[in-house]
Amino acid sequence: ISEKIKSLRKKHGLSRRHLGLLLGVSTNSIWLWETGNRRPSWPSHILLSYVSRDLKNSVKKESSRGR
């Protein structure tokens, strides 16, 4: 999961701080997740999946507007 979190954040150009703000967690928590030192709690894990889905949908919308 640590690599998925890091790649999601980087793919969408988010800082650890910004992702933390979206999820309601600290920047340090994001760092701990990305380095594999901790795993997200279930509530954070669920929020992370929603954020991931929303980011993917917004990218799809943006790319369809450019056609």
Side-chain angles (χ1 to χ4, degrees), residues 7-52:
S7 66
L8 168 79
R9 180 179 64 78
K10 288 191 170 207
K11 179 180 178 180
H12 296 287
L14 298 173
S15 65
R16 286 185 180 119
R17 182 178 177 274
H18 191 185
L19 183 58
L21 289 171
L22 289 171
L23 297 174
V25 299
S26 70
T27 303
N28 191 51
S29 291
I30 301 296
W31 180 82
L32 289 169
W33 298 348
E34 288 183 353
T35 57
N37 290 311
R38 290 235 172 102
R39 295 180 62 93
S41 65
W42 278 109
S44 294
H45 194 74
I46 292 167
L47 285 173
L48 189 57
S49 69
Y50 284 124
V51 167
S52 174

